Amino acid sequence: MKEIAVKQRFYPTPEQVTLLEQTFGCTRFVYNSILRWRTDAYYNEQIKINYSKASSYLTELKKNPEFPWLNDVSSVPLQQAIRNQQTAFKNFFEGRAKYPTFKKKRSKQSAQLTKAAFRYTDCQQQPKSDPLHHLNNDPLFIKVFH
């Protein structure tokens, strides 16, 4: 079976809006912080940073007392931001893309969740937080086959 992507219009509650905004902000912050760190390491010391080092740096960021809000959101979108950045660097070094750029607050906001962000209850896949409601106000649960 193949995986599918579904595009829906959601109507989050005010609490969910706040959590989504926090998630977008944290994802952007992590992406930009690690991009700055990787760029500085390359230009100052000619060191290429791989995914495992970037992931370790994320752990350091989350432990830093200056950024306690990074622990308020799911770690899955933060890790996904690093994976996306790693793919961007791979494409750059293989000549398929330009150098990765910083994410802007005013641009399209996004965050990716993987299967790790869901739990199974009674053989149904459900989000770990409250479900988002879509057009007819029923909870939307998507079962992904692979």
Side-chain angles (χ1 to χ4, degrees), residues 34-45:
I34 293 178
L35 180 59
R36 169 57 51 209
W37 178 62
R38 280 179 150 167
T39 303
D40 290 346
Y42 185 75
Y43 283 113
N44 296 336
E45 304 162 19

Side-chain angles (χ1 to χ4, degrees), residues 1-120:
M1 305 227 174
K2 60 183 175 179
E3 294 186 10
I4 59 168
V6 178
K7 196 173 195 176
Q8 290 279 335
R9 169 84 175 148
F10 289 100
Y11 300 96
T13 64
E15 296 83 25
Q16 289 171 332
V17 168
T18 302
L19 182 61
L20 286 170
E21 288 172 348
Q22 283 179 321
T23 302
F24 296 149
C26 289
T27 302
R28 185 179 60 252
F29 175 80
V30 165
Y31 186 94
N32 289 343
S33 297
I34 293 178
L35 180 59
R36 169 57 51 209
W37 178 62
R38 280 179 150 167
T39 303
D40 290 346
Y42 185 75
Y43 283 113
N44 296 336
E45 304 162 19
Q46 286 69 43
I47 298 173
K48 289 184 181 178
I49 305 296
N50 61 15
Y51 173 78
S52 62
K53 288 181 185 176
S55 183
S56 298
Y57 188 71
L58 172 60
T59 304
E60 290 176 28
L61 281 175
K62 290 180 83 171
K63 289 181 180 178
N64 190 331
E66 291 181 48
F67 314 119
W69 37 265
L70 285 176
N71 296 307
D72 294 342
V73 300
S74 172
S75 62
V76 175
L78 305 182
Q79 286 290 337
Q80 232 12 69
I82 298 172
R83 284 189 188 95
N84 292 342
Q85 190 179 87
Q86 185 66 31
T87 302
F89 271 102
K90 181 181 176 193
N91 290 337
F92 169 72
F93 287 120
E94 291 178 359
R96 292 190 299 246
K98 293 182 181 179
Y99 192 81
T101 59
F102 291 98
K103 303 295 180 190
K104 298 177 182 144
K105 188 175 186 175
R106 301 291 178 231
S107 297
K108 177 183 145 192
Q109 302 294 304
S110 67
Q112 293 177 338
L113 294 173
T114 62
K115 287 184 258 182
F118 295 87
R119 67 171 181 256
Y120 284 90

